[in-house]
Amino acid sequence: MNPQDQHGRGHPRAKNRRSRVLGLLAAAITLWAGLATPLDPAPQRAEAADGRKVLTVAVAQSVDSLSPFLATRLVSTSIHRLMYEYLTNYDPKDAHAIPGLATKWTPSADKLTWTYTIRSGTKWSDGKPVTAEDAAWTFNTMMTDEGAATANASYVANFRKVTAPSPTKLVIELKKPQATMAALDVSIVPKHIWQGVTDFSKFNNDKSFPIVGNGPFVLTGYKPDSYVRLEPNKDFWRGAPKFDELVFKYYKDGDAAVAALRKGEVSFVSGLTPAQSASLENQENIKVNDAPGRRFYALATNPGARSKDGKRFGDGHESLLDEKVRHALFMAVDRETIIDKVFQGHAVEGQGYIPPRFSTYFWKPSASQELAYDPAKAAQLLDEAGYKKNGDGRRVGKNGKPITYRVLCHATEPNDKAVGQYLKEWWGRLGIGVTLNCLDNVTDPWLAGTYDLAFDGWSVNPDPDFVLSIHTCDALPATPDDVGATDNFICDKKYDDLYRRQLAEYDPAERADIVKQMESRLYDTGYMNVMAYPNAVEAYRTDQIKSIQTMPEDAGNIYGQDGYWSWWSAVPAASGESSGGSGSTGVVIGVGAGVVVLAGAGVFLAMRRRSTAEDRE
């Protein structure tokens, strides 16, 4: 949900191209509710028997793919950031673009040719040199292979040609100007390892370990729906992490993850509910971090699933094709109640598509434009649209049958269930029924278009291009049998025109204005109702982690960052030491990251990149 929940990308990607930020796939091996029984031999304590420092992060989201060409979930894209360098990175203080694999980047006068100087002297974890040819091969593969373009096609769609004239020189030629050339959130992979892949749509990069990379960590072990284990890359150019091992451990149940944190079996948890957060506030050796998040929490309508070839599929309710109906539904949603009662103040009321944390692009509707909470007006709009009540007080469709909307929700997300109960009440007063379809796997009905509305969310990147791209017509699947990059099948020509304009606009102020026009258009069409911007509510053990970098540095998140700063910067506490709840610290070269199991009720993709998305994200 970056686009990398991008970072986050908060954007959707998926194993065998079947996943979406929206969806949390069910664990293949069932965990008994409330129990934190490990399914793996991964260490359970911060310090292993041999004295090694282990950082364990509890995660509520399972990995969709270890291939950066396929992965879209936030947990997966976050792990890829630890395994592979991107051309550029984001400064942890304020998220401006800084060198990564590339030390500098320069456009031609017409902005159609970009030359990147690739960092010399760095190596892949198998000892082979990292060169510009690795980057050129990565991009060219995405440009020519449909499977390799699954997760990040939007980044290379405008590329005309990519070459590597020398080991330290990468040249990208564009079809037209592209404002995201310092924000290409794409993992650069080793050509000598990946060139043997025959089918990128099916290769998940999860059979041979350790996996060759050039990031701060090397992935050394993986068990689906159980754990991901990484060790420090001793040759990482910024300096090796300080923890001896970093583990992401899967917990289907958020309470079980919190219990593991209390017992010291994990170092870190994220996605805390208000009750979980409150219960940890005064616990010895535990620090709660509650900061503005990079995600949005939304209700998305099925606008009529379709593919690029013009074919319709799925069975979304026909009434939702009417803009008046969509507006009526959203005017019957009390955002203030959601913030106060569901998030209990750990969120900000939703307005535009991009969270207020990204002030450059944050937009909110004018007073006359706002779809404010107004049940009476909502009822009037439904009447005007021809969906009137019958003798039983139920709204009826064109077929004469009472309207009941199916709302997709995540079985592991308590916020979805809580908001869903409010929807039953609010829409019930309008005469509309609601059936909550809470599933471990929301991916299949989502991709098939067999839903009416769905809880949605992305992690947004500092550059919002990815989360904007997933609502374009180009993101639709090629045919009903294919999987596109689309979030929920939106295809609007006015929105597309604005998208093309922002992508080609280099003036920051002009581009920001166009992005806000896109948000306004998305709001007016009523396809996306952003209800809240949730805080990042997370906690870690101070007797295991002495200090760790937040992003942004002032009141920022730890999990799902636009970069690898948190786990790379983490400093282990000395044996028996407690930091007394100390806060974040600036990035320190050579600081180590540890094993962390990320737990929490709801995780958004995000965006990236389809955080994404939160990131991509």
Side-chain angles (χ1 to χ4, degrees), residues 367-407:
S368 61
Q369 182 183 19
E370 185 181 7
L371 299 173
Y373 181 57
D374 190 340
K377 178 64 174 177
Q380 179 184 331
L381 287 175
L382 290 173
D383 287 339
E384 292 175 1
Y387 297 97
K388 298 186 177 182
K389 292 183 177 180
N390 60 17
D392 296 325
R394 295 291 307 279
R395 300 274 173 181
V396 295
K398 303 300 183 183
N399 58 5
K401 295 181 179 179
I403 297 175
T404 297
Y405 292 132
R406 301 159 300 164
V407 180

Side-chain angles (χ1 to χ4, degrees), residues 592-610:
V595 178
V596 183
V597 178
L598 302 173
V603 180
F604 285 83
L605 301 195
M607 12 296 319
R608 194 187 177 214
R609 292 175 86 303
R610 268 160 36 54

Side-chain angles (χ1 to χ4, degrees), residues 16 84 113-114 116-117 160 174 186 188 228 247 258 301 305 587:
N16 293 339
Y84 305 104
T113 300
W114 286 72
Y116 298 80
T117 300
R160 183 185 302 279
L174 304 174
V186 174
I188 303 302
V228 175
V247 176
V258 171
T301 61
V587 170

Side-chain angles (χ1 to χ4, degrees), residues 31 35-36 58-60 249-254 256-257 260 265-266 597-599:
L31 295 178
L35 294 179
V59 292
K249 186 173 181 181
Y250 176 73
Y251 284 85
K252 184 176 181 180
D253 181 78
E265 295 175 354
V266 303
V597 178
L598 302 173

Side-chain angles (χ1 to χ4, degrees), residues 14 16-17 65 67 69-70 137 141-142 145-150 189 194-204:
N16 293 339
R17 302 157 53 187
S65 178
S67 165
F69 294 109
L70 300 179
W137 184 88
T141 301
M142 293 168 60
D145 188 289
E146 183 180 350
T150 300
V189 302
W194 285 78
Q195 63 184 348
V197 175
T198 56
D199 188 345
F200 286 91
S201 69
K202 296 180 180 179
F203 180 71
N204 285 299

Side-chain angles (χ1 to χ4, degrees), residues 84 124 126 134 137-138 188-195 212-213:
Y84 305 104
W124 296 105
D126 64 357
D134 294 301
W137 184 88
T138 298
I188 303 302
V189 302
K191 175 184 177 180
H192 67 282
I193 298 294
W194 285 78
Q195 63 184 348
V212 176

Side-chain angles (χ1 to χ4, degrees), residues 73-93:
R73 294 182 182 173
L74 179 58
V75 65
S76 307
T77 55
S78 295
I79 290 170
H80 288 142
R81 272 212 174 266
L82 303 175
M83 298 167 60
Y84 305 104
E85 275 275 49
Y86 295 0
L87 290 180
T88 61
N89 208 327
Y90 298 98
D91 189 283
K93 295 182 179 180

Side-chain angles (χ1 to χ4, degrees), residues 285-418:
N285 297 330
I286 292 178
K287 178 176 176 58
V288 174
N289 184 50
D290 189 346
R294 53 190 286 255
R295 294 167 32 214
F296 62 80
Y297 181 63
L299 194 61
T301 61
N302 181 345
R306 54 181 154 171
S307 51
K308 288 181 184 177
D309 60 7
K311 294 181 180 179
R312 297 273 182 174
F313 57 94
D315 59 1
H317 201 284
E318 51 85 22
S319 64
L320 295 174
L321 300 179
D322 192 317
E323 185 176 288
K324 284 187 176 181
V325 173
R326 298 195 296 270
H327 284 185
L329 294 178
F330 296 159
M331 293 179 79
V333 172
D334 186 351
R335 293 174 176 81
E336 185 175 335
T337 293
I338 290 174
I339 300 301
D340 293 343
K341 302 298 184 182
V342 177
F343 289 96
Q344 296 181 30
H346 297 276
V348 176
E349 188 173 328
Q351 294 175 303
Y353 185 60
I354 296 175
R357 169 166 157 176
F358 303 100
S359 57
T360 300
Y361 301 107
F362 177 64
W363 169 91
K364 59 182 180 181
S366 64
S368 61
Q369 182 183 19
E370 185 181 7
L371 299 173
Y373 181 57
D374 190 340
K377 178 64 174 177
Q380 179 184 331
L381 287 175
L382 290 173
D383 287 339
E384 292 175 1
Y387 297 97
K388 298 186 177 182
K389 292 183 177 180
N390 60 17
D392 296 325
R394 295 291 307 279
R395 300 274 173 181
V396 295
K398 303 300 183 183
N399 58 5
K401 295 181 179 179
I403 297 175
T404 297
Y405 292 132
R406 301 159 300 164
V407 180
L408 270 180
C409 82
H410 303 89
T412 56
E413 175 51 79
N415 290 333
D416 286 6
K417 296 175 183 177

